[in-house]
Amino acid sequence: MKKTFRSYSEVTASIGQEVAVTDWIEVTQAQIDLFAQATGDHQWIHTDPARAAAGPFGTTIAHGFLTLSLLPRFMEAAFEVEGTKMGVNYGLNRVRFPAPVPAGSRLRARLALTAAEAVPPDGMQMTWEVTVEREGGDKPVCVAEALVRSYGARA
């Protein structure tokens, strides 16, 4: 369920807490192929199902950066700050891909707020620990510390 913060003070009150767990989304071979086309990364482990069937994972897997690129989608589904005029991805402090994402996997994200600070004149920078899980997996497929800025909401 999406968490709605009514003000920046509500955001800061959530520091140290898991704020949301998203619904599951599927990562399809079609998405993997489109990502390969967009980035020029056509490595067989991602785009050749026949060759990948004999590879280490028994199927194609998503690019790590495709998995990472799902973070904005997960964040959109996880939380909102009422009154925000604009939000931006400010960057990442740390990213790891502990496990692969086989084509057809279902993923969800757990978001914990680890820090929040004012950004003058009317913004807030939030630091989120995002853990992306694969349904049935025993390890996360991505763990990232994401920096997000929000502008225009009430203090």
Side-chain angles (χ1 to χ4, degrees):
M1 183 151 89
K2 191 172 195 170
K3 169 71 174 170
T4 299
F5 296 106
R6 305 213 185 295
S7 65
Y8 288 145
S9 59
E10 283 190 15
V11 173
T12 58
S14 295
I15 293 171
Q17 298 175 27
E18 181 174 273
V19 171
V21 178
T22 69
D23 290 334
W24 296 100
I25 61 168
E26 184 178 1
V27 176
T28 66
Q29 185 62 50
Q31 286 173 300
I32 294 168
D33 292 341
L34 286 169
F35 191 85
Q37 188 175 6
T39 63
D41 181 352
H42 297 279
Q43 187 180 149
W44 63 269
I45 196 73
H46 306 302
T47 61
D48 187 339
R51 188 172 175 193
F57 305 109
T59 187
T60 54
I61 62 169
H63 305 72
F65 288 131
L66 168 56
T67 305
L68 184 63
S69 74
L70 295 173
L71 264 58
R73 180 176 176 179
F74 287 131
M75 288 184 176
E76 169 83 19
F79 74 92
E80 67 179 329
V81 181
E82 262 184 13
T84 297
K85 294 180 181 128
M86 178 180 68
V88 295
N89 295 313
Y90 190 67
L92 301 158
N93 287 336
R94 181 181 166 103
V95 178
R96 297 291 182 266
F97 304 108
V101 177
S105 293
R106 288 178 13 120
L107 306 179
R108 72 177 177 189
R110 294 182 173 278
L111 286 88
L113 184 65
T114 60
E117 57 192 46
V119 176
D122 64 351
M124 173 166 279
Q125 179 170 297
M126 296 165 275
T127 304
W128 293 94
E129 180 180 295
V130 184
T131 303
V132 182
E133 304 170 327
R134 180 175 62 88
E135 189 174 43
D138 58 351
K139 292 195 289 190
V141 297
C142 180
V143 179
E145 188 175 81
L147 305 175
V148 177
R149 286 191 171 183
S150 172
Y151 295 94
R154 289 185 311 117

